[in-house]
Amino acid sequence: MRKGFLTFAAVGLLATGSMAACGDNGGSSDEAGGSNAKKPKIGVILPDSKSSARWEGADRKYLKAAFDAAGVESDIQNAQNDKTAFQTIADQMITNGVNVLMIVNLDSGTGKAVLDKAKSQGVATIDYDRLTLGGSAQYYVSFDNEAVGKLQGEGLSKCLTDKGVKNPSIAYLNGSPTDNNATLFKNGYDSVLKPKFDSKEYTKVADDPVPAWDNAQAATIFEQQLTKARGKIDGVLAANDGLGNAAISVLKKNKLNGKVPVTGQDATKEGLQNILAGDQCMTVYKAVKQEADAAAELAIALAKGEQKDTGQTVKDPEGGRDVPAVLLEPKAIYKDNVKDVVADGYVTKEELCTGAFAKLCTDAGVS
């Protein structure tokens, strides 16, 4: 696997992060050592398996591998987009003695309730991938999500320019309104595209959120957008590969696939195959292994009664709190560098280059 493909924004976290006794959120001194020490155990709650293939296909395996390598017991469960299940899983994990609870919230309200309860029970907490607004997590580990959105906006603009489209009509398929990341992605792509709308260089014809990142709803929403625009949509800013594929399915029915650039995110196998086929113009690759490894290292330290200095914070706009953070750098992926995702080990050639995609992979230099 190629090293150094992406780098930490908080340089030196893994090598030079300072160690200190954990504060009141991290449990008692008994948990940090001594004859009464509590054995390190980490609970992780993933959000679902439908909004993106990454949660079960990447995050779970990378987190488990990191915990196993450290000899730390872990319990990784998926709430399957069910808020009641999310809270029940958290309660069970706390009852079963986890020292640390790492969550990907379904929304900030549910996430805050879970984090606050964990804190009250002396369980340390980490927000993974999504910041819980108003929450109490000791760390936040994610990617620079406004940078993700900026890459999407720049990608759509590049693809439209490459196709020679003048005065394009643009549709937005935004992420879930309950996911703070979706807000950050939109901030990013708006920073690129809004000036073009304001100058009348581009026209925005649709701008809709997709509840719970639901791909089936996304297809319905996009079909309505296309109908309302009387078929005149020249580019689709889709916030992830699942939403992008939903739009592509509708474009295919209307024989517009490959003619209308569509963005994405997560570098899923499906998204990469859509890029190879020419139906999706780009995606954003986030090296999930690096995110999982960074979060696992922080969780393991907390489980041992220690904490690390990340050298970086993000502002929680609702809680007014500076949250210690690790933010990773995303990368734009087009047809000419799909091979980079394979080289980095995120997907294998065998997974990606099946059937009709074998020749497309060869043409794109995937080896």
Side-chain angles (χ1 to χ4, degrees), residues 12-293:
L13 165 70
L14 301 182
T16 61
S18 63
M19 305 293 285
C22 200
D24 61 355
N25 289 346
S28 68
S29 59
D30 281 348
E31 291 172 358
S35 59
N36 294 323
K38 190 176 180 181
K39 183 180 178 182
K41 183 176 181 180
I42 298 165
V44 180
I45 309 178
L46 300 175
D48 63 78
S49 56
K50 290 184 178 180
S51 66
S52 176
R54 64 165 286 191
W55 301 119
E56 289 296 329
D59 295 85
R60 177 186 286 274
K61 70 178 180 182
Y62 291 139
L63 287 167
K64 186 175 188 307
F67 296 139
D68 287 352
V72 173
E73 185 179 354
S74 64
D75 180 7
I76 303 174
Q77 297 189 44
N78 195 313
Q80 298 299 353
N81 200 38
D82 184 324
K83 295 178 188 178
T84 300
F86 191 98
Q87 292 178 306
T88 299
I89 292 168
D91 288 344
Q92 290 171 344
M93 287 180 171
I94 293 169
T95 299
N96 291 336
V98 298
N99 311 77
V100 180
L101 183 63
M102 185 190 303
I103 69 166
V104 186
N105 70 58
L106 297 180
D107 61 47
S108 286
T110 307
K112 174 175 166 44
V114 164
L115 293 172
D116 288 350
K117 181 167 185 178
K119 179 181 177 181
S120 74
Q121 299 294 313
V123 176
T125 52
I126 296 174
D127 270 331
Y128 183 66
D129 201 71
R130 299 173 182 170
L131 181 65
T132 300
L133 301 182
S136 54
Q138 287 165 255
Y139 292 107
Y140 168 54
V141 181
S142 189
F143 286 81
D144 183 337
N145 291 309
E146 289 200 2
V148 170
K150 186 176 180 183
L151 290 176
Q152 291 173 318
E154 291 170 347
L156 184 61
S157 182
K158 175 185 183 301
C159 294
L160 288 164
T161 299
D162 289 350
K163 285 184 175 293
V165 182
K166 304 296 184 184
N167 305 118
S169 296
I170 307 300
Y172 279 9
L173 276 177
N174 307 306
S176 173
T178 61
D179 180 355
N180 185 58
N181 282 2
T183 300
L184 298 176
F185 301 146
K186 193 171 191 295
N187 289 345
Y189 48 78
D190 270 342
S191 73
V192 176
L193 298 178
K194 188 175 184 300
K196 297 181 182 292
F197 298 140
D198 291 344
S199 68
K200 311 299 184 186
E201 183 183 352
Y202 290 7
T203 301
K204 187 196 289 184
V205 295
D207 185 352
D208 294 298
V210 178
W213 295 90
D214 184 276
N215 298 334
Q217 288 192 62
T220 300
I221 291 167
F222 183 68
E223 195 146 30
Q224 292 167 347
Q225 291 179 341
L226 191 62
T227 299
K228 186 175 180 181
R230 298 181 180 179
K232 179 66 169 69
I233 289 178
D234 300 304
V236 183
L237 196 300
N240 76 358
D241 287 348
L243 305 188
N245 189 63
I248 289 166
S249 70
V250 176
L251 292 171
K252 284 180 176 177
K253 289 198 315 186
N254 290 274
K255 296 182 169 41
L256 292 171
N257 59 303
K259 301 176 183 178
V260 178
V262 179
T263 66
Q265 176 190 173
D266 290 335
T268 63
K269 180 185 78 170
E270 183 177 64
L272 295 173
Q273 288 177 336
N274 281 335
I275 291 172
L276 291 170
D279 292 335
Q280 183 170 322
C281 77
M282 61 85 66
T283 187
V284 178
Y285 174 49
K286 302 183 297 187
V288 173
K289 185 178 187 303
Q290 291 192 17
E291 184 182 17
D293 286 349

